[in-house]
Amino acid sequence: MNKKLLIFSILITGLIGFGNFSCKKKQGSYIVEGIITDKTFNTGMANLSLTVEVQEAGQTSYSVHSTITTDANGKYSLEVERGLIDKIRVSGTKTNYFPVEFVLPVSLLSVEQTTILNFGTTAKAWARLIFVHQAGNANAELQYTKTDGKQDCAECCPKSTQSLFGFVNDTVICVNDGNTFYSYNYSIVGTPTLNSMQCYTPAFDTGQVILNY
């Protein structure tokens, strides 16, 4: 074979090989692993089904990529092919637990190494708040404000001050983290009354506190 032709052939073969290598590099995957923890009982959340979704570049909605399940120790592992995506969202629910959800911007991930991300959630409980005012000042105004309890969840009772007027016999149910306390401060407008109430909320159960005023 002509010497120049042989060199040209080698160069072409090398370029083809380099091109294949580059394509494989671009087609890498993001791998994320970790443990989902039941923070109420300090154990891994076994057999929890998780939905993996991706948000494509320039989009605001997510599309389902896959479904994975944690093992007996709460460990999960997911793999998403590198592409034109901005974010990965992982979510799951279990009866009487607060939802698991976390979002991973791909700018924080790498196809070179596995990303480790642990996450946790808590068991649900409930606080039954009973307010009773059936005698005395018919114009009494009670104000109460949550001081301890689950905050900023879709089911949570508001953290702003609440008011009750006149004679009442009302019940309010507030979701809370299991095995913790729920408490509030209260006052009666126009009087020196200022106090607090508290109850313990066992996991998967309801604590109760009654205020007679």
Side-chain angles (χ1 to χ4, degrees):
M1 179 183 289
N2 184 285
K3 185 176 182 180
K4 289 184 179 180
L5 182 61
L6 176 61
I7 293 173
F8 179 76
S9 176
I10 292 172
L11 286 172
I12 290 297
T13 303
L15 287 172
I16 292 173
F18 180 77
N20 289 339
F21 175 79
S22 299
C23 289
K24 290 179 181 178
K25 185 72 171 177
K26 290 185 68 175
Q27 294 173 354
S29 297
Y30 301 112
I31 299 176
V32 183
E33 295 180 351
I35 295 176
I36 308 297
T37 303
D38 177 343
K39 296 193 290 186
T40 301
F41 298 101
N42 197 30
T43 60
M45 294 196 72
N47 303 314
L48 175 64
S49 178
L50 298 169
T51 300
V52 180
E53 300 170 287
V54 296
Q55 183 186 85
E56 295 183 359
Q59 301 298 314
T60 57
S61 59
Y62 287 84
S63 59
V64 175
H65 175 273
S66 57
T67 300
I68 58 176
T69 304
T70 60
D71 67 12
N73 298 310
K75 184 177 180 180
Y76 73 92
S77 180
L78 66 90
E79 182 174 349
V80 174
E81 303 79 12
R82 181 180 182 178
L84 297 178
I85 60 175
D86 283 339
K87 297 176 183 177
I88 300 171
R89 182 169 67 185
V90 183
S91 60
T93 59
K94 184 176 181 178
T95 303
N96 288 336
Y97 278 84
F98 289 101
V100 172
E101 181 174 314
F102 50 96
V103 176
L104 306 169
V106 296
S107 59
L108 301 180
L109 305 179
S110 170
V111 294
E112 306 294 335
Q113 58 186 8
T114 298
T115 300
I116 304 298
L117 180 64
N118 300 321
F119 197 82
T121 188
T122 55
K124 289 183 179 181
W126 295 266
R128 180 184 290 113
L129 314 181
I130 300 176
F131 302 93
V132 181
H133 178 61
Q134 295 181 322
N137 184 0
N139 298 312
E141 178 185 352
L142 173 77
Q143 294 185 342
Y144 69 96
T145 307
K146 177 169 62 176
T147 53
D148 289 302
K150 186 75 172 178
Q151 301 275 18
D152 302 323
C153 70
E155 306 167 66
C156 288
C157 284
K159 54 187 177 182
S160 57
T161 298
Q162 305 297 298
S163 296
L164 296 172
F165 299 91
F167 295 135
V168 299
N169 188 355
D170 290 353
T171 298
V172 178
I173 304 295
C174 295
V175 73
N176 199 30
D177 290 319
N179 297 345
T180 64
F181 287 91
Y182 193 100
S183 61
Y184 63 85
N185 289 338
Y186 72 90
S187 64
I188 299 175
V189 176
T191 76
T193 301
L194 178 62
N195 213 329
S196 62
M197 301 291 283
Q198 183 182 74
C199 68
Y200 183 73
T201 55
F204 316 124
D205 207 343
T206 302
Q208 178 172 289
V209 57
I210 302 174
L211 174 60
N212 289 284
Y213 62 98

